[in-house]
Amino acid sequence: MDSAQLERLREPPLAAALGEWGIELPPPTEQASWIEARGADYHDLFLRPETGPLVQSLWTQGRYEGDATVRVRKLAEVAGMEFQRSAARGAAVDHLGSLLLLWSATDGHAQAVADEIAAAHLEWGLAGMARIESTGGFYGAVAAAAADLVRAILAASPLTR
């Protein structure tokens, strides 16, 4: 997170949504130290080898570019979409954030693809988000909101009910 991203989060619609989810942003006077601390948190929660990034192939097969990656690329192709890695900040195609972006782009547009993403590519992420949620703080609140979203997607999908 940097100053520009934090300022975007302070924009009224985003700030209101974050507040509803219990995600607190720092006052402007504490912004620099907050950003630095969140960088350390991010490293510890999302990048350390013992916990690993929220990438489906890592969680389900113990390696990058596994079966999930191949299937997600095919689903994007079926939906007539070119998966934009830049939209997910260069994350792996089967990173939870990338999967949620692809689901949101296909829900209501290529519903069969959205339903398969829900059925085969989201539930695994709940365990990682629960671990992050248990740490509390900013990322804990973000993980709780993301887990709520995944659970709502799973509950609404005809392939997961």
Side-chain angles (χ1 to χ4, degrees):
M1 171 128 12
D2 61 25
S3 295
Q5 292 168 329
L6 186 54
E7 288 307 313
R8 281 192 296 278
L9 294 178
R10 285 194 173 109
E11 293 174 5
L14 287 173
L18 292 173
E20 287 177 23
W21 291 322
I23 300 170
E24 297 179 20
L25 300 177
T29 57
E30 297 174 18
Q31 181 169 309
S33 62
W34 187 88
I35 289 171
E36 185 176 326
R38 294 308 67 78
D41 291 347
Y42 184 85
H43 178 270
D44 289 346
L45 295 170
F46 296 97
L47 301 178
R48 290 176 59 149
E50 64 269 15
T51 55
L54 291 175
V55 176
Q56 185 177 10
S57 293
L58 282 174
W59 281 74
T60 60
Q61 291 184 284
R63 64 184 174 92
Y64 279 106
E65 298 290 319
D67 297 337
T69 305
V70 173
R71 186 62 190 147
V72 170
R73 283 193 180 115
K74 286 181 183 175
L75 287 170
E77 186 178 311
V78 166
M81 298 178 58
E82 182 178 330
F83 190 81
Q84 298 293 326
R85 288 180 60 96
S86 61
R89 301 199 170 159
V93 172
D94 59 337
H95 183 283
L96 184 60
S98 301
L99 293 167
L100 288 170
L101 283 172
L102 186 56
W103 175 86
S104 72
T106 57
D107 186 45
H109 167 68
Q111 197 59 51
V113 172
D115 290 341
E116 184 170 338
I117 291 166
H121 298 286
L122 293 180
E123 189 169 10
W124 65 271
L126 292 172
M129 288 185 290
R131 177 187 53 81
I132 295 165
E133 183 179 357
S134 72
T135 66
F138 176 76
Y139 288 117
V142 170
D148 287 347
L149 173 61
V150 167
R151 283 189 285 274
I153 291 168
L154 294 173
S157 174
L159 298 179
T160 59
R161 284 188 236 154

